[in-house]
Amino acid sequence: YVPSSCDGLAEVPLLFNFHGFGGSASEFINDADMRLLAESETFIVVYPQGSLLDNISHWNACPTGGDNKSDTNDFGFVEVLINEISSTLRIDLDRIYAAGYSNGGMMAYGLANYKSDLIAAVASVSGAMLDCVGLTSHPMPVIHLHGTSDGVIPYNGNSDWNSAQNTLDHWINFNNTSTIPIVNSVNSGGMTIEHYVYDQGDRSVSVDHYKYIGGEHVWFNATFQGQNTSELVWSFVSRYDING
């Protein structure tokens, strides 16, 4: 989606938003709609389509090891997309972001690990980071949103998935942020949402976490201090460029 506020003169940020396992870009653009936000904030948002694995769409977020889903080169696909889009539109190459839901959140983390030379910050909604870690080349701002009643990717992890805290701890340690978070809590539509901020990282990056008490495996509808999930994601990642 290219907003009308994009005049073709100034460079604008680019955000990828990846659907979940078995999902489609055409459905996800409605479930996790960022078009009005892109219009008001002047950024380009892209909803890529994952290729099929046994007739089910997926993202191959781990190029090696047991978490590898297929031999699909999705990191190369994203790089080609960036090159193609930037050949026709004026993209701020220092402000390219990756967000995603479920398997799409895994893809965002995969890009943070293996294509950090292209990605300035990442966001995961109801996702997890897989057990394959690349060579992230710069401090990586991370925002992770997760429900405590997620029945697909459990908040506390299991034999298949890292817990939310394990994922956070990786980036807390990598970025050298504070280990004691600043915590705020709100009630939104009967749901308690806790916000944890691990700040003061290298190049002033932060690791943020929104914990939805009783939240399930969804792109959340509940708002935090008036901001929906899309707005929370954008307000976080847009603070950063690839240099900090």
Side-chain angles (χ1 to χ4, degrees):
Y1 179 79
V2 181
S4 60
S5 49
C6 181
D7 58 15
L9 301 176
E11 294 182 340
V12 297
L14 172 65
L15 184 143
F16 290 100
N17 200 355
F18 298 94
H19 64 71
F21 188 72
S24 70
S26 59
E27 292 177 353
F28 189 53
I29 196 172
N30 292 315
D31 294 338
D33 198 343
M34 302 184 85
R35 287 171 290 188
L36 286 177
L37 185 62
E39 190 70 44
S40 63
E41 297 293 323
T42 311
F43 66 94
I44 293 169
V45 59
V46 179
Y47 293 82
Q49 177 60 53
S51 61
L52 296 180
L53 172 65
D54 297 329
N55 292 317
I56 301 174
S57 61
H58 79 298
W59 300 109
N60 185 26
C62 181
T64 59
D67 283 330
N68 177 276
K69 283 186 177 294
S70 71
D71 59 2
T72 301
N73 182 12
D74 279 327
F75 298 150
F77 171 53
V78 171
E79 190 164 8
V80 169
L81 279 176
I82 291 172
N83 291 336
E84 177 69 19
I85 294 166
S86 61
S87 72
T88 57
L89 297 166
R90 288 182 57 81
I91 303 299
D92 185 345
L93 297 178
D94 289 335
R95 299 185 68 201
I96 298 176
Y97 310 111
Y101 161 71
S102 192
N103 180 214
M106 298 175 195
M107 182 63 182
Y109 282 131
L111 289 167
N113 277 298
Y114 290 93
K115 286 294 179 181
S116 58
D117 57 320
L118 302 174
I119 303 297
V122 298
S124 172
V125 179
S126 301
M129 194 170 80
L130 302 180
D131 285 328
C132 49
V133 178
L135 299 174
T136 307
S137 60
H138 61 83
M140 181 63 67
V142 167
I143 178 173
H144 185 99
L145 300 82
H146 212 130
T148 61
S149 296
D150 190 323
V152 178
I153 301 177
Y155 184 86
N156 292 319
N158 58 18
S159 58
D160 294 318
W161 310 117
N162 282 312
S163 69
Q165 194 61 52
N166 281 349
T167 297
L168 293 167
D169 285 345
H170 171 84
W171 296 110
I172 289 165
N173 294 331
F174 178 82
N175 291 315
N176 295 312
T177 69
S178 60
T179 56
I180 300 175
I182 301 167
V183 183
N184 290 294
S185 178
V186 303
N187 186 281
S188 177
M191 174 183 287
T192 298
I193 306 172
E194 297 172 354
H195 179 208
Y196 298 77
V197 178
Y198 301 87
D199 60 3
Q200 301 178 29
D202 296 341
R203 296 189 193 170
S204 300
V205 307
S206 174
V207 175
D208 278 29
H209 173 44
Y210 288 87
K211 182 178 183 179
Y212 294 74
I213 309 302
E216 299 181 351
H217 191 69
V218 295
W219 181 276
F220 301 102
N221 290 323
T223 60
F224 184 91
Q225 295 180 345
Q227 290 189 304
N228 63 26
T229 297
S230 295
E231 291 166 332
L232 291 174
V233 166
W234 177 250
S235 65
F236 177 83
V237 299
S238 62
R239 288 158 35 191
Y240 301 100
D241 63 36
I242 206 164
N243 300 307

